[in-house]
Amino acid sequence: MKKFLAALIVLALLAAAVVAIKGRKGQELVPVQVVTVKKGEVRKEIEATGIIKPQVGAEIKVGARISGTVVKENVKVGDFVKKGDLIAVIDNRELKEALKRARANLEEIKRSYPERIARQKFLVESAKTQLKQAEAKLKAEEENYRVKKWKFERQKELLSIGYTTPEKFKEAKQALALAESNLKAAKEGVKQALYNLKAQEAELKRLKAEFQENLKKAEADLKQAQIRYSYSYIYAPMSGIISFVSTQKGETVVAGLNAPQFVTILDPKRLENWIYVDETEIGKVKKGMPVEFTVDAYPGKVFKGKVVEIYPKPKILNNVVYYIVVARGFKNVELLRPEMTTHNTVIAGVRKGVLVVPNAAVKWKNGHYVVYKVVGGKVVEVPVKVGWSDENYTQIVEGLKESDKVALSVRRR
């Protein structure tokens, strides 16, 4: 009896299995959601994470070039400053006195040297007059000597023939000796006058050269004093936002090899996006390619830029090799902040006017791609050849034509 019941159970199960198999084979596929094959575009995209960074020169550390106590500091973190705005002042009392002395020294040189030069010019003119007088006297003495010598020769000749007296000859001889002495003195006078003129002219030349040298040095000293005095006022070298303040009023700064840092100024419009692209994808990236990205602070806002640089040196993170792709040119950059994480899509290529279907319409089955084509309300499984695909669409290269209907999903009935 037990064996008979067991046989009946087995037969019942076999019958149920046959019925189930026949029922499954008899079920047909019914489209749930149908779309039309159309022409559109697909993009070859590279997804990567990045970081917002300041461009070179977008962030400047402002420091001091002199030592002293900070007597005024006008900014705090978050303040916007324009180029030329006063940031801080260092105690400049000693520098102010040095500037005053340098200015007074320059004014004294400008006042005293022209007076000395004017006096020396007068002495030069006097020396010229004395030289002219000495030359005139020499000329007169030369004429006097010529006359006295003629008279002496005449008396000598007359004495030899007895037509004059020894006394007159002696007087002529004495007069000639005196004229010769006066001539020698006149020549010496010209020589002394000429020497004096050259000495006075040399002194004038020296004074003028000394004036120019001291004037140049005094002007340089004044300029240096002005520059050092200006160092006590710290101005913003560019417009931007104060991102860091390191020195406060009352603190003493000491200028050494490295200028003490007061603040850091960031130009909020000069930011760039460092995109970390995997080594397997970097070969697809070229300069000029469009980039779209979002940041966590504004998840619904898409920023658009272009690839401007591809760094040759890799960056290794967690044993994965990345290359930094730099993107710039995006709008609304003032919304971004350094070190924000970016979620990027680098558009490596775009195919327009190609047949596309939603990604959900393409299935991978038995080693190839298929779609569920809807013909006369019935579903037909059709193999297709696909091309590019992005996050929304897949390109259909073979197997479908424009206006065909395909099912995104099906059910059995």
Side-chain angles (χ1 to χ4, degrees):
M1 186 64 181
K2 289 183 179 179
K3 291 181 178 181
F4 178 74
L5 289 176
L8 286 177
I9 292 173
V10 170
L11 289 174
L13 290 174
L14 288 173
V18 170
V19 171
I21 292 172
K22 288 183 177 181
R24 188 178 297 117
K25 288 184 178 180
Q27 290 178 350
E28 62 177 335
L29 298 177
V30 179
V32 175
Q33 186 178 0
V34 179
V35 296
T36 302
V37 179
K38 62 180 182 179
K39 288 187 176 182
E41 69 176 37
V42 290
R43 306 189 300 182
K44 182 181 289 185
E45 299 175 342
I46 300 171
E47 306 290 334
T49 302
I51 298 175
I52 297 296
K53 292 283 188 180
Q55 295 180 26
V56 175
E59 191 173 40
I60 294 180
K61 296 177 180 179
V62 182
R65 301 181 67 176
I66 60 171
S67 302
T69 302
V70 180
V71 295
K72 181 184 291 186
E73 186 152 5
N74 296 335
V75 296
K76 60 183 182 298
V77 173
D79 287 350
F80 180 83
V81 294
K82 293 181 180 179
K83 183 178 179 179
D85 284 353
L86 182 64
I87 292 175
V89 180
I90 300 175
D91 185 6
N92 55 22
R93 288 172 294 179
E94 291 184 5
L95 297 175
K96 191 173 183 179
E97 287 300 317
L99 177 60
K100 186 186 295 185
R101 289 193 299 269
R103 186 176 286 114
N105 181 51
L106 177 60
E107 294 301 321
E108 175 62 21
I109 289 174
K110 287 182 176 181
R111 183 195 63 79
S112 63
Y113 270 90
E115 292 179 355
R116 293 171 62 185
I117 290 172
R119 289 195 298 269
Q120 190 59 36
K121 285 181 177 179
F122 176 77
L123 293 176
V124 169
E125 292 302 319
S126 297
K128 288 180 179 179
T129 301
Q130 291 173 4
L131 177 60
K132 288 180 180 180
Q133 292 173 349
E135 288 174 340
K137 185 176 182 180
L138 173 61
K139 188 175 181 180
E141 293 299 335
E142 286 175 340
E143 179 63 21
N144 181 59
Y145 175 76
R146 186 184 65 79
V147 172
K148 293 297 189 284
K149 185 175 182 182
W150 179 84
K151 288 182 178 181
F152 170 74
E153 294 295 336
R154 178 64 177 167
Q155 289 295 323
K156 182 178 180 181
E157 182 180 354
L158 291 175
L159 182 63
S160 66
I161 59 177
Y163 279 93
T164 187
T165 63
E167 288 78 9
K168 288 185 177 181
F169 172 75
K170 186 177 180 180
E171 288 177 0
K173 187 177 181 180
Q174 290 176 347
L176 177 60
L178 180 60
E180 186 177 6
S181 177
N182 289 339
L183 177 59
K184 184 184 290 188
K187 287 181 177 180
E188 185 64 26
V190 170
K191 185 178 179 180
Q192 290 295 330
L194 183 60
Y195 176 81
N196 182 54
L197 174 60
K198 289 183 178 179
Q200 298 300 337
E201 287 177 335
E203 178 63 14
L204 177 61
K205 185 178 180 180
R206 187 195 67 78
L207 271 177
K208 287 182 176 180
E210 186 179 88
F211 174 45
Q212 292 302 318
E213 182 180 353
N214 289 345
L215 179 64
K216 186 177 181 180
K217 183 177 183 303
E219 288 175 340
D221 290 344
L222 176 60
K223 186 174 182 180
Q224 184 179 21
Q226 289 172 333
I227 291 173
R228 288 190 59 79
Y229 181 72
S230 70
Y231 288 163
S232 63
Y233 294 91
I234 313 299
Y235 295 98
M238 72 175 192
S239 299
I241 296 174
I242 302 297
S243 60
F244 179 72
V245 176
S246 62
T247 305
Q248 303 297 329
K249 179 179 178 181
E251 293 182 352
T252 299
V253 294
V254 179
L257 296 178
N258 296 318
Q261 181 181 344
F262 273 86
V263 298
T264 300
I265 301 177
L266 172 67
D267 185 346
K269 294 184 178 180
R270 297 178 62 190
L271 300 176
E272 59 190 16
N273 184 6
W274 286 18
I275 306 168
Y276 293 88
V277 178
D278 189 278
E279 63 176 325
T280 60
E281 301 281 2
I282 194 62
K284 303 174 185 177
V285 182
K286 307 294 180 186
K287 287 185 180 181
M289 285 183 173
V291 175
E292 297 178 354
F293 67 92
T294 60
V295 295
D296 294 335
Y298 310 101
K301 185 170 185 58
V302 177
F303 297 85
K304 297 182 179 181
K306 287 187 177 181
V307 175
V308 295
E309 294 290 343
I310 302 173
Y311 286 2
K313 187 176 180 180
K315 182 81 172 180
I316 300 176
L317 301 173
N318 298 323
N319 296 322
V320 178
V321 177
Y322 296 95
Y323 289 87
I324 297 175
V325 174
V326 181
R328 297 187 195 130
F330 31 87
K331 297 181 180 179
N332 300 316
V333 66
E334 65 276 2
L335 298 176
L336 302 173
R337 297 289 184 273
E339 304 305 319
M340 278 186 170
T341 300
T342 60
H343 309 284
N344 303 273
T345 300
V346 180
I347 303 170
V350 178
R351 288 181 177 175
K352 297 183 178 181
V354 296
L355 291 181
V356 296
V357 296
N359 292 335
V362 181
K363 315 294 183 183
W364 178 258
K365 190 173 182 181
N366 298 326
H368 58 270
Y369 291 103
V370 298
V371 296
Y372 292 123
K373 183 177 179 181
V374 180
V375 181
K378 294 184 178 181
V379 175
V380 180
E381 187 177 288
V382 177
V384 293
K385 183 178 179 181
V386 301
W388 287 7
S389 63
D390 55 27
E391 62 180 6
N392 297 313
Y393 294 99
T394 298
Q395 176 191 4
I396 302 299
V397 178
E398 293 179 2
L400 293 174
K401 64 180 184 299
E402 191 175 4
S403 300
D404 282 348
K405 306 292 184 180
V406 295
L408 297 184
S409 60
V410 295
R411 64 181 177 81
R412 296 181 181 275
R413 67 176 179 184

